[in-house]
Amino acid sequence: MNTPLLGLDWGSTRLRAYRFDEAGGVVEMRALPWGSRQLPAGGFAEAFAQAIEGWPRAPVIACGMVGSRGGWREAPYLDTPCRLDALAGALAAVDAPDGRTVHIVPGLRDPSVPDVMRGEETQVAGMLAQAPTLAGEVRLLMPGTHSKWVRVRDGAVSGFTTVMTGELFALLREHSVLGKGLPDGGDDHATFARGVAAAQASGSAGGLSRLFSTRALMLEGVLAPASVADFLSGLLVGDELRMALAAGWASPGVPVQVVGEDALCARYLLAAPAFGLTLQRTSGAPAASGLWQVAAAAGLLHGHSHA
């Protein structure tokens, strides 16, 4: 089977490699632990060689932190509002030792905040390719270490906001007086919901004003040590949704499309009803789809139209 394209979704903590068929389907996927912050001895070049070992020679496209200032080669940001088809005209290129050229998708910058993203822009392009009726106007939530609330209008990313919910959770859980040294716990939905309710009840003061209640509840015996992580998760996810409502990133009755890892998205879906928000899970592999779409628009697919 002909392989017209190889794609890399290359973030700060992991690398996913895709081998595509002629219809843009993924026929093979590999996951490696080589993010931009953790690379093998040979750096980006060695990680790349491992990712595509044994695969046919084909054009290569990559997105994510591989194009950051500390990446393999920096791909300068495009400013919003930015039509997603503009990504194809701004690819950066880096030559791998085996003679292949890796084309890197640029990130986006919202100059009004300012704010930046890398990798999510390709996911947005892929999601809209899978659901083109949403391109007129849609709100997206992309949970992760750094959650992104993205606004799309007329096929362009008109703006976005980053909330560091995932990183704050990790810092509080591993390094703060609230969570350090405590057991991991399980998937306690009731305690998670209690944290969400605490965020909702915080009102204009916000979830930061309720963080220390985590310790007080544990000292009082109301919150078991193994449940602290779930309470903190609910408090932080709930506060993110409270902020989204207050800032107008989301509105009751207007669905928000959620793009991301299943387990994390499930937590946001659990928390949303408490704020009257409607979140809809987006299926498929938007990063892979986005890489294919950008490659096609850039004319990288041999024997394919350059739409």
Side-chain angles (χ1 to χ4, degrees):
M1 178 182 293
N2 184 35
T3 297
L5 183 72
L6 304 179
L8 305 172
D9 178 10
W10 203 333
S12 58
T13 58
R14 59 158 177 77
L15 165 59
R16 285 183 179 164
Y18 304 98
R19 183 167 68 86
F20 293 92
D21 63 22
E22 291 185 341
V26 175
V27 292
E28 189 175 354
M29 191 276 280
R30 295 173 178 169
L32 293 86
W34 305 131
S36 63
R37 294 198 306 234
Q38 179 183 331
L39 293 163
F44 284 99
E46 173 59 26
F48 171 70
Q50 291 181 24
I52 55 99
E53 183 179 3
W55 282 357
R57 293 192 75 86
V60 184
I61 189 167
C63 69
M65 295 302 288
V66 65
S68 68
R69 191 162 295 172
W72 201 353
R73 177 176 174 186
E74 186 173 7
Y77 294 109
L78 299 180
D79 281 355
T80 60
C82 179
R83 287 191 56 82
L84 292 165
D85 51 19
L87 298 173
L91 302 180
V94 61
D95 293 328
D98 67 355
R100 300 179 196 238
T101 298
V102 180
H103 302 274
I104 302 176
V105 181
L108 296 184
R109 175 179 177 269
D110 185 340
S112 68
V113 182
D115 206 335
V116 294
M117 66 165 63
R118 283 200 186 273
E120 293 91 353
E121 74 296 318
T122 304
Q123 289 183 289
V124 174
M127 195 218 75
L128 293 181
Q130 294 169 348
T133 56
L134 297 177
E137 185 165 6
V138 69
R139 300 293 177 97
L140 306 174
L141 164 59
M142 310 177 83
T145 303
H146 301 150
S147 290
K148 305 287 185 184
W149 290 81
V150 185
R151 303 175 290 284
V152 173
R153 184 188 293 270
D154 298 328
V157 173
S158 58
F160 58 91
T161 306
T162 302
V163 185
M164 295 176 63
T165 302
E167 185 164 353
L168 283 173
F169 174 77
L171 289 170
L172 291 169
R173 177 68 188 83
E174 297 164 16
H175 302 291
S176 81
V177 68
L178 302 180
K180 186 177 181 180
L182 297 182
D184 288 340
D187 201 12
D188 184 346
H189 287 179
T191 302
F192 174 80
R194 182 170 187 160
V196 171
Q200 185 188 32
S202 70
S204 59
L208 191 62
S209 68
R210 300 295 177 99
L211 271 179
F212 201 69
S213 69
T214 307
R215 181 161 178 80
L217 288 168
M218 188 181 69
L219 292 174
E220 292 170 4
V222 176
L223 196 60
S227 297
V228 165
D230 283 304
F231 182 82
L232 277 174
S233 175
L235 183 59
L236 292 172
V237 168
D239 198 46
E240 183 178 337
L241 295 177
R242 181 199 63 79
M243 283 190 285
L245 200 55
W249 309 334
S251 306
V254 180
V256 174
Q257 302 295 318
V258 187
V259 182
E261 301 288 344
D262 288 343
L264 187 53
C265 288
R267 295 215 154 203
Y268 282 79
L269 291 169
L270 276 173
F275 296 88
L277 295 176
T278 303
L279 304 185
Q280 296 180 343
R281 182 75 173 94
T282 298
S283 58
S289 176
L291 287 166
W292 176 268
Q293 294 300 320
V294 175
L300 297 181
L301 306 181
H302 297 162
H304 290 259
S305 67
H306 300 170

